[in-house]
Amino acid sequence: MADGRRRAYIGSFTAAGGPGIVMADIDAGSGALTVLSSVNAVPDPSYLALAYDGETLYAVSETAEGAVAAYRVGGDKPEPAGRPVPVDGNGPTHLSLFAGHVLSANYGSGSVTAIPVRPDGTLARSASGVLRHSGAGPHTPRQQGPHAHQVQPDPSGRWAVSVDLGTDSVRVCALTDGALALHRETALRPGSGPRHLAFHPDGAYAYVVNELSPSVTLCRWDAAEGVLTPLSETPVLPGAPARDAYPSGIVTSPDGRFVWTATRGEDVLSVLAVEGEELRLVTTVHCGGHWPRALTASDGFLYVANERSGDVTWFAVDPLTGIPRRGGSIRVTAASCVAIA
């Protein structure tokens, strides 16, 4: 922020009683959140992403119609900046900024959409391109077709990488003149159900958290060629998972020593140590609520959006062990994600 204050923006499911987008102050010393305001301008703003200058916030509207909206966040309340733009798909669950565009991963339609961003941060009136995934997996009914769950740029800024739960694969794409084109598709273990991906800070590795088989797949990443190569797979739970154990978020530590995941149902955060081309499960800790949908790391703290208990919990991370220690929480009904400026 221009005034030097740190802010958190929290998405929620309005269909489940959520307030829309919540803005909160962050205490630099403790990581504690204090709610400032909220805005309910689009239904189900379940995932948020900030512009690089921190002045504009983008949100998906995770509905059957599917849209992306922009907000100005220079003051103490997000203000809508133009009309929502249709994604020409349904059920968008994730978005990111890439090469002058906002990209959305559309779970329902199994596609990725590119929407141009104007110089002032507002969105163009319509999408410039839609890349439709194809394929299926062995897990019924979750893998009867493609389900793009996340899309983000790689650390080099050359490629857009989309993770598809329905096809057990990760797609590497290029963006040219507003159109997305498939460069390469990497197959992961059948039935694993990949959900999200996080890159190692050095850009040489990527970690894919699998929703249908609670694990993380470690991959080597070649940015020059745009090639993702799976190397190993590590469970995120110490024993046999419960029937309803579905990993959601994944983040890496700034020093590259740890990977953290969140698992719904089991309601835990997992700490994994990075040991070369292997991961080792260190421990798990309770997530501070129920059904942790998303996980965010910032300045030595972890923030967890617990959807079904309706709260956001923060944890201080021990820099030596990587183990999180609960600090506190705020109430946000149907919380779905946390973005930090």
Side-chain angles (χ1 to χ4, degrees), residues 13-85:
F13 289 100
T14 58
I21 298 174
V22 172
M23 175 187 280
D25 252 336
I26 302 175
D27 181 89
S30 67
L33 302 177
T34 302
V35 173
L36 295 173
S37 61
S38 65
V39 58
N40 186 357
V42 297
D44 294 340
S46 65
Y47 199 86
L48 313 174
L50 279 153
Y52 301 117
D53 62 7
E55 295 297 318
T56 308
L57 180 74
Y58 302 96
V60 300
S61 178
E62 191 177 335
T63 60
E65 296 78 15
V68 171
Y71 297 81
R72 298 297 189 202
V73 290
D76 285 336
K77 182 176 182 178
E79 299 291 343
R83 294 182 178 179
V85 178

Side-chain angles (χ1 to χ4, degrees), residues 205-287:
Y205 296 94
Y207 308 98
V208 184
V209 66
N210 301 306
E211 178 173 337
L212 301 182
S213 176
S215 63
V216 172
T217 302
L218 187 156
C219 305
R220 186 180 296 117
W221 171 242
D222 182 343
E225 300 297 328
V227 175
L228 189 73
T229 305
L231 300 177
S232 61
E233 188 174 342
T234 304
V236 299
L237 300 173
R243 180 178 179 182
D244 297 321
Y246 304 112
S248 55
I250 182 168
V251 292
T252 57
S253 64
D255 61 9
R257 296 175 57 227
F258 300 103
V259 173
W260 298 289
T261 66
T263 299
R264 296 162 294 175
E266 292 275 350
D267 292 341
V268 296
L269 307 181
S270 299
V271 183
L272 298 108
V274 177
E275 298 178 344
E277 295 188 340
E278 299 282 343
L279 294 176
R280 175 176 56 85
L281 178 62
V282 176
T283 191
T284 62
V285 299
H286 194 267
C287 69

Side-chain angles (χ1 to χ4, degrees), residues 13-169:
F13 289 100
T14 58
I21 298 174
V22 172
M23 175 187 280
D25 252 336
I26 302 175
D27 181 89
S30 67
L33 302 177
T34 302
V35 173
L36 295 173
S37 61
S38 65
V39 58
N40 186 357
V42 297
D44 294 340
S46 65
Y47 199 86
L48 313 174
L50 279 153
Y52 301 117
D53 62 7
E55 295 297 318
T56 308
L57 180 74
Y58 302 96
V60 300
S61 178
E62 191 177 335
T63 60
E65 296 78 15
V68 171
Y71 297 81
R72 298 297 189 202
V73 290
D76 285 336
K77 182 176 182 178
E79 299 291 343
R83 294 182 178 179
V85 178
V87 298
D88 298 335
N90 66 66
T93 53
H94 188 271
L95 81 171
S96 61
L97 288 106
F98 176 63
H101 293 71
V102 167
L103 306 182
S104 71
N106 312 313
Y107 183 88
S109 52
S111 59
V112 175
T113 300
I115 301 173
V117 177
R118 296 170 174 146
D120 65 356
T122 59
L123 297 169
R125 294 183 179 180
S126 61
S128 60
V130 179
L131 179 65
R132 304 191 185 281
H133 294 183
S134 62
H139 190 292
T140 42
R142 298 290 307 279
Q143 293 185 315
Q144 291 180 332
H147 293 301
H149 212 302
Q150 184 204 37
V151 62
Q152 64 171 315
D154 84 302
S156 76
R158 295 182 59 186
W159 310 101
V161 181
S162 63
V163 182
D164 196 301
L165 185 150
T167 62
D168 291 320
S169 62

